[in-house]
Amino acid sequence: MFGMKNRILLPTIILLALYSCIETQNFDQYDDLEITPTVEASILYIESPERIINEASGQYYYSQDFNFDGLSVDAFADRVIEGSIFFEIENTTSKEFKPTVEFLDEGGNTIDTIDFPVQQPYQILPYYLQVPYGPGKQRSIEIIKNTSSIKVSVLIEDNSSVSDLPDPKIIFRSNGKFRLRLK
Amino acid sequence: MRQVKLVLWIWILGCATLTAQNKQILYDFTEIPQALMINPGMSTDFQWYAGIPVLSGISFQAGSSGLTVNDLFADDGVDFNVKVRERAIYGMSTRDELSGTYQVELFNGGFRGRNRDNFYSFGIYNEGDAIGYWFKDYAILAFEGNADQLGRKFDLGHLKTRGEMLNVFHFGLNKRVNGALTLGGRAKIYSSAFNFSSTKNKGYFVTNQGQNNILANTIDADLELRSSGLNEIEDAIDNDSSLLPGILTRRLFFGGDLGFGIDLGFTYKLNKQTVITGSLLDLGFIYSSTDVKNYTIKGNATVEGIEVILPDAFSNSNTDFWQDLIDEVDALVPHGTNNNSYIYFRPTKLYGSIRYNWGEPSNNNMDCDCNYMVSKRKDYTKYANGVGGQLYMINRPRGPQAALTAFYLRRFGRALALKTTYTVDKFSWSNIGLGLNLQAGPVNIYVMADNLLAYKNLADSHYSSFQLGLNIISWGKK
């Protein structure tokens, strides 16, 4: 009986031992893994009807700091590599104006200024601007990492003319699109 | 958050070392006492048996239906990022899983009662089980982000996982009703060390064109991760790992969450040579009330950044619009933790088989001095050959999973039996298994492994399992 067992068992074990193997694996490849998603979201939306501008006495000057900690929180600032901020300005009023956007750090210091060209009146098609940040770009990504608030300013000298377009207003839109390094 | 990490680690480590639960080679292998554990109604002729403590039944399995180690880590010159993207991120579906189970019997014994038709078995085993389905949309979101994906809904329901470690205390009765029918049942008390589950998640994340601003990010979530027993373990790992064995031991021996379950089974002889069997295992639940911590996120919100509409905003010139936005989202999509106790059900398993036996019946008068191996049961005839099919099903978070097995059993006297199986399931269509049972005097040894074809490159295997055990068996004096 045990002879029978040996005749079956031993060849089985030997065959399995000879047969089984593992091809060479290179687990160091994990070090090459790069996880760099690109995320995007809106940042700031400002809407002002022409009526408000015309209600101002003298020049209309609007300037406001908006706290925006979304860029400087560690979860974002520690991981962001590069990206862009997109601006979109719509002006259906009868006024021309020149807006400015400043990025301020936590201490309230201006760390970046974006000077927009003069926005023409009756601008039905929005004006677009992409401002890139990161390596090889004009602006450093450190600006984004340190931005704690955004200041929007606009000076409008004409406070009397009235647009004949329906519901005339100035609309300022913006969104960010950034690449992060998760690994 | 630290607990979520702990769950992830348990899942990853568990799944890397554990196995799937189908024990198709052991099933209805009537020479082996542990086969009673997967069919308490198995036809049996033991007088008594005693498992060697800790060695009587050890089984490990690991399964990865969508990806193998070789797919990613083969030294093939292909860029690793390309492999991850093509083979994992986009190559796997949400039905693909990484799963595993292990069982170690602490002790196991059985004896025939005064009524010779009754056979009792009892014991304790330790079990760990973990499964995680491929969280595809979460992975795509992590690797690609949401940019340039307008209108694409990332399904938050793709997160489905659960796992546990527990001790099972069991007592079973196997009863021969008549010459054709044997019934069996087993009562189980579960003592859980820990468990986690996140299986009923719903919702999505989508980026659309904004109504006012350029983009609108929307989240609609109903997510929950339930856990029991992980807090104390986590504290021990962080602060004093020497406490960990004590915590686990206490919980595994009635100091943690308790539950109750049953196994049922039968064997029925359609005729002298044809047998059908079936069993239903772990029909039970555990009440989790120890060290419970559940994480929830529920609600929906759409965000278009900070929105300032004049002149309304003039009246709130000192408003912190950013903080308002955060508060608003927090209110719309509240997230938090709670300590609510809960009940969870064990992964119930179902086996069924049909077997046709033929060939020379085993010779009771063997040419060895082994009268303890001779059955007194006149109706218990073991044929030299058996062939048949088996069905296995298990209840999983994404619904039942099934496996079909064809098998051939060959007995060489009563000292050696081999069973070979061919199994088709979600892990493999070429799973050939082999089980070997040796009876050397009263000493019973069995070894089983499956998916043997994958042994030519184990790293390229979607599934592998291994079982072994050591018992002392008596069939009574002649």
Side-chain angles (χ1 to χ4, degrees):
Chain A
M1 182 55 62
F2 281 91
M4 168 75 82
K5 270 187 285 187
N6 287 334
R7 281 205 299 275
I8 296 167
L9 192 56
L10 283 175
T12 305
I13 292 170
I14 291 167
L15 274 174
L16 199 59
L18 288 173
Y19 180 63
S20 65
C21 62
I22 298 177
E23 275 182 20
T24 309
Q25 304 293 305
N26 178 6
F27 293 105
D28 292 341
Q29 291 177 85
Y30 175 75
D31 298 336
D32 301 335
L33 181 63
E34 291 191 343
I35 305 177
T36 55
T38 304
V39 297
E40 62 180 353
S42 290
I43 295 178
L44 182 60
Y45 173 86
I46 305 172
E47 176 185 309
S48 174
E50 187 179 60
R51 175 175 54 84
I52 302 300
I53 299 163
N54 285 347
E55 281 173 4
S57 56
Q59 291 179 331
Y60 174 81
Y61 180 68
Y62 174 80
S63 179
Q64 187 159 359
D65 289 0
F66 297 98
N67 174 26
F68 199 86
D69 292 329
L71 299 175
S72 55
V73 290
D74 292 347
F76 181 84
D78 291 349
R79 294 174 173 84
V80 66
I81 313 168
E82 60 179 3
S84 292
I85 294 184
F86 297 82
F87 297 96
E88 205 177 289
I89 299 172
E90 209 175 296
N91 177 24
T92 51
T93 69
S94 57
K95 301 141 196 346
E96 65 173 31
F97 63 92
K98 189 175 185 307
T100 305
V101 170
E102 292 168 79
F103 290 160
L104 312 179
D105 65 13
E106 209 169 349
N109 307 305
T110 300
I111 51 177
D112 192 21
T113 304
I114 298 162
D115 282 317
F116 292 86
V118 172
Q119 301 295 304
Q120 298 303 318
Y122 307 111
Q123 189 179 286
I124 298 170
L125 292 175
Y127 165 81
Y128 296 102
L129 178 68
Q130 177 182 355
V131 182
Y133 294 84
K137 310 289 189 310
Q138 267 191 333
R139 290 174 157 86
S140 163
I141 195 68
E142 293 304 314
I143 293 170
I144 297 298
K145 292 180 180 184
N146 291 304
T147 294
S148 178
S149 59
I150 300 169
K151 183 176 182 178
V152 178
S153 308
V154 61
L155 175 66
I156 302 174
E157 294 181 351
D158 171 8
N159 66 346
S160 58
S161 67
V162 177
S163 170
D164 52 5
L165 291 174
D167 194 17
K169 58 178 72 166
I170 295 170
I171 294 176
F172 174 90
R173 300 185 179 96
S174 58
N175 79 292
K177 184 174 178 180
F178 294 100
R179 198 153 72 93
L180 312 177
R181 180 174 295 285
L182 302 184
K183 184 190 175 303
Chain B
M1 184 49 81
R2 288 188 312 162
Q3 249 185 345
V4 175
K5 280 186 189 166
L6 186 64
V7 166
L8 281 173
W9 274 113
I10 289 168
W11 181 69
I12 291 165
L13 290 174
C15 292
T17 55
L18 310 183
T19 77
Q21 294 192 320
N22 189 2
K23 293 182 176 176
Q24 75 274 31
I25 309 173
L26 181 62
Y27 186 76
D28 209 33
F29 206 142
T30 55
E31 280 81 355
I32 303 171
Q34 277 67 30
L36 267 173
M37 297 302 297
I38 46 177
N39 181 5
M42 181 181 82
S43 181
T44 178
D45 62 345
F46 309 126
Q47 178 60 28
W48 60 263
Y49 72 84
I52 306 297
V54 187
L55 295 176
S56 61
I58 299 173
S59 66
F60 293 93
Q61 281 173 306
S64 166
S65 61
L67 197 67
T68 66
V69 172
N70 195 65
D71 287 337
L72 290 181
F73 293 102
D75 206 358
D76 51 11
V78 179
D79 184 282
F80 189 65
N81 291 289
V82 172
K83 288 194 277 190
V84 169
R85 191 173 304 275
E86 291 181 357
R87 297 172 190 177
I89 306 291
Y90 290 104
M92 294 202 291
S93 83
T94 55
R95 297 202 69 82
D96 282 320
E97 68 177 63
L98 192 60
S99 64
T101 302
Y102 77 86
Q103 266 188 18
V104 177
E105 285 187 353
L106 304 183
F107 75 87
N108 188 2
F111 60 93
R112 193 161 292 284
R114 283 184 186 164
N115 179 343
R116 310 293 299 165
D117 290 330
N118 294 343
F119 188 80
Y120 302 94
S121 59
F122 55 90
I124 307 172
Y125 64 86
N126 178 261
E127 180 178 312
D129 175 53
I131 182 168
Y133 288 91
W134 180 234
F135 38 90
K136 185 168 187 154
D137 278 8
Y138 288 83
I140 292 173
L141 197 53
F143 271 77
E144 308 285 3
N146 69 325
D148 305 318
Q149 306 260 11
L150 281 186
R152 175 177 185 157
K153 282 188 176 178
F154 292 93
D155 189 344
L156 303 180
H158 284 185
L159 175 63
K160 275 191 194 297
T161 182
R162 80 174 180 197
E164 60 182 332
M165 179 196 270
L166 71 165
N167 263 3
V168 181
F169 301 78
H170 59 89
F171 184 85
L173 168 63
N174 176 278
K175 183 172 184 62
R176 192 187 72 117
V177 178
N178 54 45
L181 179 65
T182 303
L183 294 175
R186 182 181 308 283
K188 289 176 165 178
I189 294 172
Y190 304 116
S191 184
S192 167
F194 66 82
N195 78 78
F196 60 87
S197 69
S198 184
T199 57
K200 292 176 181 167
N201 300 315
K202 287 185 293 189
Y204 61 87
F205 172 74
V206 65
T207 303
N208 284 317
Q209 205 160 20
Q211 216 166 21
N212 288 331
N213 211 337
I214 300 168
L215 299 170
N217 301 112
T218 300
I219 186 168
D220 184 342
D222 186 358
L223 311 176
E224 184 180 34
L225 171 68
R226 301 189 304 188
S227 75
S228 169
L230 292 180
N231 271 322
E232 206 180 349
I233 290 173
E234 181 192 352
D235 287 345
I237 291 171
D238 286 349
N239 302 320
D240 186 359
S241 57
S242 66
L243 296 174
L244 199 55
I247 294 169
L248 291 177
T249 305
R250 174 168 49 82
R251 291 208 183 136
L252 290 169
F253 288 90
F254 303 108
D257 297 331
L258 298 179
F260 179 74
I262 55 169
D263 297 345
L264 301 168
F266 76 93
T267 297
Y268 184 72
K269 291 181 182 172
L270 294 174
N271 56 48
K272 265 181 98 171
Q273 289 174 275
T274 309
V275 180
I276 58 170
T277 72
S279 67
L280 190 63
L281 308 178
D282 283 322
L283 199 59
F285 66 90
I286 292 175
Y287 179 64
S288 287
S289 58
T290 311
D291 197 17
V292 170
K293 194 162 189 181
N294 306 322
Y295 299 82
T296 59
I297 302 175
K298 189 172 184 177
N300 65 75
T302 297
V303 174
E304 296 189 21
I306 293 174
E307 291 191 272
V308 180
I309 297 176
L310 301 176
D312 298 350
F314 280 143
S315 57
N316 305 311
S317 55
N318 293 322
T319 302
D320 185 341
F321 292 99
W322 171 256
Q323 194 54 49
D324 283 356
L325 181 67
I326 299 294
D327 293 345
E328 189 185 348
V329 172
D330 270 348
L332 290 170
V333 191
H335 54 89
T337 60
N338 66 64
N339 308 107
N340 301 337
S341 300
Y342 59 92
I343 285 175
Y344 74 96
F345 294 93
R346 299 234 53 223
T348 303
K349 286 141 266 183
L350 174 79
Y351 283 92
S353 78
I354 183 164
R355 174 160 45 97
Y356 176 73
N357 300 307
W358 82 95
E360 193 72 16
S362 297
N363 182 4
N364 286 353
N365 302 308
M366 288 178 294
D367 56 351
C368 65
D369 183 19
C370 43
N371 55 2
Y372 40 77
M373 300 173 67
V374 178
S375 172
K376 291 180 178 177
R377 300 267 298 274
K378 288 194 171 74
D379 60 326
Y380 192 87
T381 307
K382 284 182 174 169
Y383 290 87
N385 303 282
V387 67
Q390 293 172 190
L391 168 71
Y392 167 77
M393 295 182 82
I394 181 167
N395 187 27
R396 287 301 202 188
R398 281 199 186 277
Q401 266 174 33
L404 276 174
T405 298
F407 68 87
Y408 171 65
L409 178 74
R410 178 77 170 111
R411 295 188 174 91
F412 301 92
R414 294 204 60 160
L416 175 65
L418 291 170
K419 183 178 177 182
T420 183
T421 57
Y422 169 68
T423 301
V424 175
D425 60 16
K426 71 185 291 185
F427 297 102
S428 169
W429 284 50
S430 57
N431 179 351
I432 291 174
L434 185 65
L436 181 149
N437 182 66
L438 269 176
Q439 193 66 46
V443 178
N444 166 261
I445 304 169
Y446 68 90
V447 183
M448 296 167 179
D450 72 358
N451 209 12
L452 298 176
L453 294 180
Y455 276 57
K456 65 183 174 188
N457 181 10
L458 276 172
D460 202 23
S461 173
H462 283 282
Y463 176 84
S464 73
S465 80
F466 187 76
Q467 294 168 69
L468 62 87
L470 193 56
N471 299 287
I472 305 295
I473 302 179
S474 170
W475 281 265
K477 296 289 181 187
K478 212 179 338 185

